[in-house]
Amino acid sequence: MKLQKIVEALDLMVATKNADLGAEVSGGYASDLLSNVMGQAKTDMLWITMQGHQNIAAVAALLGLSAVIVAGGSHVEKDALEKAERNSVVILTTDLPAYEVIGRIYALGVKNEI
Amino acid sequence: MKEWLADLHLHSLLSPCGEIEMTPHHIVMRAAEFGVDMIALTDHNASANVAPAIEAAQEFGIRVMPGMEVQCREEGHIIVLFDEIKQLEDWQRQVDAAMQPLANDPVRFGAQFIVDADDNFVAEEERMLLAPLALSAEAVVETCNRLGGICIAAHIDRASYSLLGQLGFLPRDLGLAAAEISQRGIEELQRKALQPLTGGLPYITSSDAHRIEDFRQGPKTSFCLAEPTVAEIRLALRGEGGRCVKPGCYIGKKT
């Protein structure tokens, strides 16, 4: 599923400038422990978190994630957005709680192969 | 130059998880008994028991570095240390302003007591101290460094409240002076495995004690310093000017 479709369906805010929403989303991962995300999330996955530290941009770039959704109205640091823009990482935000975000994306048919 | 056996991460009864026996007077008395020369009382987002500890320590000749274990927005713990109580008080005001309005539940999380230098009850802290501040890791480190303090990423080898665990890696420009490893018998192993992720920070070991027995048994760090100050500790961590730091020391095994 294209990232654009998920952004529209959940009415997500696009926090990074010049974001390319054409990426194909292959599945999803949810965690606020970045060390865990680094070991578990896979390329093209969508990552749902409450963390807004600049390292979310580094981890997303390292893994080649399709986008990061910072849920629950959580604050995203300015340097996180700058780092994301420099590395072509898309950061999306929403006031919806993480559980609700994940449930709605799953209902759209975005599932992992387990 | 003198060797200082130090434990720079200790909790008093002001921390919700600190045992009642962890009064400032009792801690410095036992420090003297154990041969620990320098300590820091580092309660969660709080410092009201530090001045009583400094007062009580005069009797025992123990150096108490004013300090705190800060919980940043990302839910990592950072040990901050200062030379003077005034600097810690300045920092405490910023912590108070950034604290969430949550009340502690003493039954579920443990009571938080402020006492004086003679262990007399002064007050019960009613705010929930073990909670993240509305300050990023960067903001905590930058502010404490500017106030003349030094910042150490706490227990990076733990599963919870580790800045390394929360952030995946420690950004090189964060301004930390060291990383702390807390568990026993894993010093070399952890250093080798974790150092690339910490940006090559030097490391220290501390007990993170919440009761006296853990203070006695837990790891300490030996510092070779001209005097027990932040500037000297910085030199020691960098191995400069003949100062040095030796983690993985224990009571009774001082070398």
Side-chain angles (χ1 to χ4, degrees):
Chain A
M1 182 175 293
K2 291 273 188 239
L3 184 57
Q4 177 81 47
K5 189 175 173 190
I6 295 168
V7 170
E8 287 168 7
L10 276 73
D11 196 20
L12 302 173
M13 282 166 286
V14 183
T16 40
K17 291 189 201 106
N18 306 318
D20 175 11
L21 303 180
E24 194 68 32
V25 177
S26 71
Y29 196 74
S31 174
D32 299 325
L33 278 170
L34 276 63
S35 50
N36 168 263
V37 176
M38 283 164 74
Q40 298 296 321
K42 304 284 190 298
T43 305
D44 296 332
M45 277 186 173
L46 197 54
W47 169 28
I48 296 92
T49 184
M50 293 286 287
Q51 292 280 11
H53 187 269
Q54 58 158 311
N55 279 17
I56 62 173
V59 170
L62 176 77
L63 299 174
L65 303 180
S66 50
V68 185
I69 301 180
V70 179
S74 194
H75 176 78
V76 182
E77 305 286 340
K78 187 164 161 284
D79 52 13
L81 294 175
E82 289 167 0
K83 195 164 195 170
E85 285 158 7
R86 281 200 304 278
N87 290 281
S88 304
V89 168
V90 178
I91 295 182
L92 308 163
T93 61
T94 177
D95 288 336
L96 289 172
Y99 182 84
E100 193 62 29
V101 171
I102 294 162
R104 291 190 192 187
I105 294 172
Y106 205 83
L108 289 172
V110 179
K111 298 176 183 181
N112 297 338
E113 285 176 27
I114 293 174
Chain B
M1 212 75 76
K2 184 191 160 203
E3 196 170 331
W4 302 75
L5 187 63
D7 195 336
L8 300 178
H9 187 169
L10 291 167
H11 291 272
S12 83
L13 70 173
L14 177 52
S15 293
C17 36
E19 295 289 332
I20 289 293
E21 64 175 353
M22 296 297 273
T23 65
H25 185 270
H26 192 202
I27 290 169
V28 294
M29 185 178 78
R30 300 306 292 269
E33 179 190 324
F34 297 154
V36 176
D37 309 298
M38 175 162 65
I39 65 163
L41 262 195
T42 51
D43 286 310
H44 296 293
N45 294 341
S47 57
N49 281 341
V50 173
I54 292 169
E55 187 185 335
Q58 288 174 356
E59 182 188 336
F60 301 100
I62 303 293
R63 163 63 164 156
V64 178
M65 301 267 316
M68 183 188 294
E69 183 173 25
V70 182
Q71 186 168 334
C72 64
R73 193 206 304 275
E74 297 85 359
E75 305 217 13
H77 284 178
I78 303 169
I79 297 293
V80 303
L81 305 170
F82 300 95
D83 286 318
E84 307 291 341
I85 191 77
K86 170 76 173 59
Q87 295 166 301
L88 180 61
E89 287 165 357
D90 287 346
W91 169 243
Q92 181 72 64
R93 273 192 286 280
Q94 307 215 26
V95 168
D96 290 344
M99 211 176 273
Q100 298 179 54
L102 297 170
N104 186 43
D105 182 333
V107 175
R108 288 189 173 81
F109 300 113
Q112 307 170 149
F113 295 117
I114 299 167
V115 298
D116 68 14
D118 297 317
D119 291 355
N120 298 305
F121 173 83
V122 173
E124 182 169 357
E125 169 62 73
E126 293 181 347
R127 298 171 299 175
M128 183 184 257
L129 297 176
L130 188 59
L133 301 175
L135 293 172
S136 66
E138 272 80 0
V140 169
V141 175
E142 198 269 327
T143 306
C144 289
N145 283 345
R146 188 159 38 79
L147 287 169
I150 190 168
C151 302
I152 299 166
H155 42 63
I156 59 164
D157 52 330
R158 293 240 186 111
S160 54
Y161 299 125
S162 152
L163 197 58
L164 181 60
Q166 298 298 122
L167 300 184
F169 65 95
L170 299 178
R172 277 182 181 273
D173 56 2
L174 194 51
L176 294 164
E180 178 204 73
I181 292 176
S182 62
Q183 294 174 20
R184 304 185 69 169
I186 52 164
E187 292 86 4
E188 285 305 306
L189 180 73
Q190 293 288 16
R191 185 176 66 84
K192 284 170 186 156
L194 297 176
Q195 219 167 25
L197 295 173
T198 65
L201 285 178
Y203 78 107
I204 67 164
T205 50
S206 324
S207 71
D208 189 7
H210 294 76
R211 56 194 189 109
I212 293 293
E213 187 55 20
D214 294 338
F215 177 31
R216 191 177 69 77
Q217 290 186 13
K220 317 277 178 287
T221 297
S222 176
F223 289 90
C224 194
L225 311 169
E227 49 182 2
T229 62
V230 163
E232 286 280 324
I233 290 174
R234 283 192 185 281
L235 284 176
L237 289 167
R238 294 198 299 261
E240 290 175 8
R243 279 74 171 170
C244 61
V245 52
K246 192 163 61 182
C249 297
Y250 293 89
I251 288 163
K253 296 176 193 166
K254 192 177 176 185
T255 53

